[in-house]
């Protein structure tokens, strides 16, 4: 059993996943700093000097000076400022991952095109090799015009 576990733990996919999780955690802190320290301050200037993380809706009849006071008292609050911050962080992460994947795909395309043989062509959508007379790509299922 120990040998099996050792083989599993050092398998390439597990190590790659661990590295991805560690880098993802560090990247999350960078994005949080980007949102809190760079993106939100100019936005708060548009709406007045506002700390988005402190914006909330009090659902009780009692008044509180800050979100921390309300939470310490156990009051029901909607912390919409923290939600806006989380949404901005998500959008930045999603856009960054999109740019990263886009660049990786660009780097892979020349390899696929170079591997084409005289009786094959590259699909213009997914760049996989397909027969010249194919009317539909078997990889991405895109409809193609036959080569003449």
């Amino acid at each position: 059993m120990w040998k099996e576990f050792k083989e599993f733990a050092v398998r390439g996919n597990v190590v790659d996943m661990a590295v991805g999780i560690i880098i993802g955690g560090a990247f999350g802190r960078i994005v949080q700093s980007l949102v809190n320290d760079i993106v939100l301050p100019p936005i708060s200037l548009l709406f007045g000097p506002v700390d988005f993380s402190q914006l909330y809706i009090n659902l009780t009849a009692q008044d509180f000076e800050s979100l921390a006071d309300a939470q310490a008292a156990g009051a029901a609050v909607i912390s919409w400022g923290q939600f806006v911050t989380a949404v901005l962080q998500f959008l930045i992460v999603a856009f960054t991952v999109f740019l990263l994947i886009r660049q990786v795909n660009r780097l892979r395309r020349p390899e696929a095109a170079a591997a084409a043989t005289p009786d094959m062509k590259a699909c213009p959508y997914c760049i996989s090799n397909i027969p010249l007379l194919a009317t539909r790509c078997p990889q991405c299922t895109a409809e193609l015009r036959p080569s003449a």
Side-chain angles (χ1 to χ4, degrees):
M1 187 161 115
W2 174 253
K3 182 180 175 185
E4 246 182 299
F5 175 74
K6 195 166 98 175
E7 287 175 10
F8 168 78
V10 296
R11 191 182 291 160
N13 294 347
V14 174
V15 174
D16 290 344
M17 183 179 67
V19 169
I21 290 170
I22 292 167
I23 297 223
F27 184 69
R29 288 190 297 275
I30 291 170
V31 169
Q32 184 175 10
S33 175
L34 174 69
V35 170
N36 293 336
D37 303 330
I38 295 173
V39 174
L40 287 179
I43 292 174
S44 69
L45 280 177
L46 294 173
F47 300 107
V50 175
D51 180 8
F52 275 88
S53 65
Q54 294 300 312
L55 297 177
Y56 69 99
I57 297 172
N58 185 1
L59 299 176
T60 65
Q62 210 173 357
D63 287 333
F64 300 99
E65 294 211 13
S66 69
L67 175 61
D69 292 341
Q71 289 174 333
V77 295
I78 297 175
S79 304
W80 69 270
Q82 291 177 351
F83 177 73
V84 168
T85 303
V87 168
L88 286 173
Q89 289 173 347
F90 169 77
L91 292 174
I92 290 170
V93 169
F95 185 69
T96 304
V97 169
F98 165 75
L99 292 177
L100 178 69
I101 298 299
R102 186 174 167 209
Q103 190 60 34
V104 167
N105 287 341
R106 279 189 183 160
L107 293 174
R108 288 183 180 172
R109 286 183 183 159
E111 294 173 12
T117 59
D119 60 337
M120 302 289 275
K121 65 180 178 181
C123 172
Y125 300 101
C126 71
I127 314 299
S128 63
N129 288 328
I130 56 175
L132 283 174
L133 298 176
T135 58
R136 185 177 291 274
C137 176
Q139 301 298 321
C140 68
T141 69
E143 289 190 44
L144 309 169
R145 283 188 244 136
S147 300

